[in-house]
Amino acid sequence: MTKASKDLPEAAQRALAEAEERRKKAKELDLAKELGGRDGPEPVRFGDWEKKGIAIDF
């Protein structure tokens, strides 16, 4: 626990600890490899709807 989190109320500390446990238990998504798709992060997740200044869509 960091020094800043020690200043938080007990309920907030519990919530942070529970969130950390959920992150540790979360499984990596097993997404199918897209053929002919873009490189880089998922545009839906990161809002990256343009490439080289040109707006793209499905």
Side-chain angles (χ1 to χ4, degrees):
M1 215 180 284
T2 65
K3 184 179 186 313
S5 62
K6 289 181 181 178
D7 296 336
L8 295 173
E10 186 178 333
Q13 291 177 12
R14 257 192 333 269
L16 288 172
E18 289 172 10
E20 183 64 29
E21 282 299 312
R22 280 193 303 274
R23 281 191 289 271
K24 287 179 183 177
K25 291 179 182 179
K27 294 182 180 179
E28 189 75 24
L29 292 178
D30 186 23
L31 299 174
K33 179 72 175 163
E34 182 177 351
L35 302 176
R38 299 179 43 172
D39 294 336
E42 285 285 319
V44 173
R45 181 172 179 198
F46 294 99
D48 188 15
W49 293 104
E50 59 88 20
K51 186 172 185 179
K52 296 182 183 177
I54 299 172
I56 62 168
D57 200 350
F58 296 100

